[in-house]
Amino acid sequence: MNLSTPLTRPSLHEELVTRLRQAIVEGALEPDAKVPERELCENLGVSRTPLREALKVLANEGLVVLQSNRGARISKVTMEELEDAFPVIAVLEGLAGELACASATDKEISHIVARHHDMFRYYEAGDRSAYFQANRDIHAALMAAARNPVLAQHYAMLSSRVERARLLANVSDSRWAEAVEEHREIVKAVEARDGPRLSALLRAHLNNKLAALKKALT
């Protein structure tokens, strides 16, 4: 047996998981709905086997519930889940911010700051979709700049749950304005490479987001 040749993971599996995850997070596949396996296979041009393998990954992420002999359902968004997940995500993001300040290149810092400025412009234009995309880009860039694959893996597993809750909730304009002000302080800490301050700001930002989501969803 040859154990010296690197294994390669089929790109189809990764793309399928990504597409399904995005559909769940954005609400195209609604909470508690049965996963339409036949329809998905036809639309995506895949067989049942890779689809079910992808669903197993999403089940491990908490986005799908596998039912014995009954297919799969999209998991519900519950307050209990959010209250369990948010403190963990806050710690992960705080650690990522601290590590990023220590290891990010000047180019990476410039990119993060530029996306912050883009986000502020989208806020002023009232473009929520573009604003939230820039927001996702910023957090992803901080996580990448942290240079810690284990941290990134655990963050990716939890962040999709939080993202789905945010898209389902109708967060108020007042909370949106507060979030923008929090981000102004965040970008200052990024520019200063102040890891401890950035870590504290990110954790506080996540805690405030949880409080807003609880209010919106209840």
Side-chain angles (χ1 to χ4, degrees):
M1 181 180 293
N2 183 3
L3 295 178
S4 62
T5 303
L7 296 172
T8 58
R9 189 178 185 186
S11 60
L12 171 64
H13 175 72
E14 294 179 354
E15 183 179 357
L16 188 53
V17 170
T18 299
R19 292 276 293 276
L20 291 173
R21 184 188 294 116
Q22 183 177 6
I24 295 170
V25 168
E26 295 182 356
L29 295 173
E30 298 181 354
D32 204 33
K34 184 177 176 61
V35 175
E37 292 189 20
R38 180 179 297 178
E39 179 183 339
L40 289 172
C41 287
E42 292 176 355
N43 291 344
L44 298 173
V46 298
S47 66
R48 285 285 178 90
T49 298
L51 178 64
R52 288 176 175 174
E53 289 301 313
L55 291 175
K56 289 179 183 178
V57 174
L58 297 175
N60 287 333
E61 295 180 7
L63 296 176
V64 168
V65 177
L66 301 178
Q67 301 172 305
S68 179
N69 300 319
R70 290 186 296 161
R73 303 190 75 85
I74 307 302
S75 65
K76 298 178 182 179
V77 176
T78 66
M79 287 310 309
E80 181 181 7
E81 176 189 35
L82 294 180
E83 289 174 341
D84 288 343
F86 258 91
V88 178
I89 293 174
V91 171
L92 295 178
E93 285 211 7
L95 176 57
E98 194 159 358
L99 293 175
C101 284
S103 61
T105 65
D106 290 342
K107 184 177 181 180
E108 286 173 320
I109 294 292
S110 295
H111 170 70
I112 292 168
V113 171
R115 287 304 280 158
H116 267 287
H117 292 321
D118 290 340
M119 191 176 66
F120 296 144
R121 286 198 298 272
Y122 296 140
Y123 168 71
E124 291 172 350
D127 189 339
R128 284 186 179 244
S129 178
Y131 172 92
F132 288 127
Q133 182 57 57
N135 188 297
R136 286 192 291 270
D137 291 346
I138 291 163
H139 289 283
L142 282 170
M143 192 60 60
R147 307 280 193 276
N148 190 312
V150 175
L151 174 62
Q153 180 183 18
H154 286 282
Y155 177 77
M157 185 178 297
L158 289 172
S159 63
S160 55
R161 302 187 197 183
V162 172
E163 183 71 7
R164 181 164 64 136
R166 184 191 60 72
L167 290 173
L168 288 172
N170 183 22
V171 177
S172 67
D173 288 341
S174 62
R175 172 54 201 158
W176 193 13
E178 290 172 357
V180 168
E181 291 307 311
E182 290 166 8
H183 271 282
R184 291 189 193 280
E185 296 304 312
I186 288 171
V187 73
K188 290 178 184 178
V190 170
E191 289 180 300
R193 290 182 178 269
D194 188 340
R197 176 161 173 73
L198 178 58
S199 178
L201 289 169
L202 287 168
R203 291 197 305 273
H205 180 63
L206 265 294
N207 290 333
N208 292 339
K209 184 183 291 186
L210 173 60
L213 284 175
K214 289 172 67 174
K215 183 177 181 180
L217 291 172
T218 58

